Amino acid sequence: MRGVPYILGRDECDPRAAFETREVTIDACSLTTETLGGALAAHLQRVVLGELNPSALHVRVLLPTRDTALALPRLVADLTDDRPLRRLRQLVRGHAITLRSAFTRLSDVRPDITCSIECKAVPATPPQKLCLLNKHVALSGYYRVIEREVTFGDGRHELIYDVPGVSTTLFHHRHDPERPHSHPSRFVTESQAWFDSLWRTIAETVTLFE
């Protein structure tokens, strides 16, 4: 299964199960937050309607810094052309604003829930997306580079090297307290440690929502 459909699947390793706990934590590292926003939308709506009732919801997002010369996306005909990167920054800002708006609405409608969303950035191109649910489930998948045609603001259609995140195949790993040294358990533990190390050291707070 791929992208958002996998995340929304009926599985103990998806956000639907994560939202059935009292305190929900989601840590994500991605290129744009597009998949994350799409995956969370339905669950946040259920919280707004009172169908799900966590006492707390905290989301942390790691993105690439806006001023970094990322490896992707790039124009096929001219790797020095910065239009694909400028286009990406606009997409990131749009997805981030949508995500922030969803949390603002949740805070307004459900003041009984403690919720927060924080966004930081690191000067690197993420080779894969990672989502950690309640610190015991990891969803991960590699960004596959493809050629595709996009339209720029001037109306020109050109080929770029891109990584369509919504079609990324995600693999799930679940930490098993009874088997802490198993491959899935170690993967979750190491992934969480990796995320936390970036978050508390070189990651810088960004204001994508302004």
Side-chain angles (χ1 to χ4, degrees), residues 21 44 102 134 157 169:
T21 64
L44 292 179
N134 295 333
H157 307 279
T169 299

Side-chain angles (χ1 to χ4, degrees), residues 63-72 74 82 85-86 88-90 92 120-125 202 204-206 208:
L63 292 166
T65 52
R66 300 181 67 183
D67 57 352
T68 297
L70 302 178
L72 296 162
R74 292 290 182 180
D82 69 346
L85 291 178
R86 285 188 277 120
L88 173 68
R89 294 183 187 115
Q90 293 176 344
V92 170
K120 290 188 176 184
V122 291
T125 307
I202 65 172
E204 300 180 353
T205 301
V206 294
L208 293 170

